Amino acid sequence: MGNDLEKVLISEDDLQARIKELAGRIDDDYAGKDILLVGVLKGAVMVMADLARALHVPVQMDWMAVSSYGAGTRSSGVVRVLKDLDTDILDRHVLIVEDIIDSGLTLHWLLENLKSRNPASLEICTALRKPDAVKVPIDVKYVGFDIPSEFVIGYGLDYAERYRNLPFIGTLAPHVYR
Ligand code: 5GP
């Protein structure tokens, strides 16, 4: 990616180690239960794949695609459903898997939407959380890393659909988006 990358914020090793720790907690918390992991496309693809492989409890995976960001780095505040779940979540233990929580707008909307379908339980696991998200009154049970309010890429997160495949979390050099 040439000099588009400003710095590595979280290394691949640190990401992998933290996901394994979270998986261990989730295994304990859901012992004896089946989990339906609901990944939020496209950003959650990497964390979903790593988390699912690290879990020992039985899991199913389903995906929702919602959009709250355009090609830039600002939230539009508008959530659109691009793809709904294939699974009926009534009486299921649902764990939402997110890449990042920033304003929390997407998550707030998603929680209300999924709650109305009456799951047995509904919790959230996110790889990353930014400071603004802490202001939102949402209980996020599993958080990988709290990061500064910077625009990050990699590990599923894109800038204009690029960089999702980086195995680490990095920040973009300002010249890329200014
Ligand atoms: P929120 O609704 O919490 O503000 O934002 C949620 C969505 O915005 C995330 O799922 C992600 O797609 C996008 N987003 C928020 N912050 C960042 C960021 O720093 N980098 C990238 N690439 N996407 C972000």
Side-chain angles (χ1 to χ4, degrees), residues 139-161:
D139 185 25
V140 184
K141 195 158 185 190
Y142 309 100
V143 179
F145 296 88
D146 278 301
I147 61 165
S149 231
E150 286 178 275
F151 189 79
V152 293
I153 49 160
Y155 200 58
L157 289 160
D158 74 310
Y159 175 69
E161 293 301 328

Side-chain angles (χ1 to χ4, degrees), residues 68-69 75 98-107 130 150-153 157-159:
S68 64
Y69 273 69
S75 175
E98 270 277 21
D99 48 359
I100 190 165
I101 310 174
D102 183 3
S103 69
L105 281 173
T106 313
L107 192 59
K130 287 190 185 175
E150 286 178 275
F151 189 79
V152 293
I153 49 160
L157 289 160
D158 74 310
Y159 175 69

